[in-house]
Amino acid sequence: MVDNTKEDILYIVHRIPYPPNKGDKIRSFNILKYLSQHYRVHLATFIDDPKDRQFVDSLDEYSCDKLVVSIDPLSRKLLSLAGLLTGEALSNRFYRNRQMQSWVSDKVLNQGVTRVVLFSSPMAQFVSSLTDSIDALVMDFVDVDSEKWFQYAEKHAFPMSYLYRREGRALRAFEARVSDSCRASVFVSNSEAELFKQKAPVRYPDKVIAISNGVDTDSFNPKNVYDSPFKGGEKAVVFTGAMDYWANIDAVKWFCKEVWPRVRSRDSNAVFYIVGSKPVEDVLALEKIDGVKVTGFVQEVQPYLAHCHVCVAPLRIARGIQNKVLEALSMSKVVVATPEALEGIVGYQTESPVATMCSDPDNYAQALLHHLSNPEPEVYEPARSYVEAHFSWESHLSQLDSLLES
């Protein structure tokens, strides 16, 4: 039932914020959930996976009305190449859509919705001509997306390195213009916010702030009981994540090549589980390595976290805060991660260590072998205590209240 006593707000998201089962969706959903408790939410979003169409009606609980536009990623990538001729960021061309633009314009100009929250920088194009009619405009960049493209360029050869570097430059300029037009530019961590202020030529750096992620500690609770997905005698090492995402692909390929042989040669009961949807061919091929298993899509990651010996996050390219790390910590698990994967999880260096940080393959393998030497998985209570103290969605998202006041 719609509460007509609430003020209206427009929330524009680049990907359907449901179900909250992967990085960006976890954050976008929790923002939607929080906004729905305080406003009548008009939701505009895209679907880039036909399987997500089944979840459209689930959005009704959190919105008074909605526009959900389906797009085909392959055709959109081809169409976005027109940006090479116009000088635009290809990310913006990817999402350009007349139906979305018309719906958003109607909400602002004809229905008087003057509060707007944007999620992911390409969504800013839909309000770029409407800012004079908007009282409160908040841009959640989440991460410094332009910096990701520069990182990709370093890892690829020509011509992809050229395209990625070009996208980084074009998107950085666009991000700066968007930031200057907003009441607040939000990032997922202080380190991302500071990086943006250093890299982007923004005129109003005081408007750049951090609103961190949270964790559903009820769902990711070590006291919940799950059947083990592992075979008897296995000492499971688990990585979770969407396995069509390049940073995750790079992480598990590096781990399997550089770290895992050192572990497996010392402990034949160790098994590395790559848990996540849409594994690409490069990931599926890793099952040829002794002691590596690729699960594909699983309904819940919690059973894998609950019964594993160690969780790993061997990311070499990472932006913002890694939900996979927070969820494992919330389950009181031992986490061995690269510095990149721990960036933005403030305090782990100075407080009682909640995760083991390793970047060298030998050190990484030694850390894993140390934890695998225990016959049963450890319950690492400081990890959960740390998450409970520092990563509450309600506490973090309450910062939106003052930003959205007319």
Side-chain angles (χ1 to χ4, degrees), residues 152-165:
Y152 283 5
E154 294 174 1
K155 300 289 184 180
H156 288 79
F158 185 85
M160 296 309 297
S161 60
Y162 165 78
L163 285 174
Y164 290 153
R165 196 167 287 110

Side-chain angles (χ1 to χ4, degrees), residues 211-269:
I211 296 180
S212 186
N213 276 359
V215 182
D216 182 350
T217 53
D218 291 332
S219 178
F220 290 89
N221 190 329
K223 294 182 180 179
N224 296 340
V225 178
Y226 301 98
D227 292 333
S228 175
F230 309 125
K231 294 181 180 179
E234 288 184 342
K235 296 180 181 178
V237 176
V238 165
F239 175 90
T240 62
M243 295 318 303
D244 59 348
Y245 180 51
W246 191 78
N248 289 339
I249 298 168
D250 176 75
V252 296
K253 288 174 66 177
W254 175 82
F255 182 83
C256 286
K257 178 182 178 182
E258 302 294 341
V259 179
W260 191 244
R262 292 170 164 86
V263 174
R264 184 71 178 183
S265 66
R266 297 278 300 277
D267 191 337
S268 60
N269 291 320

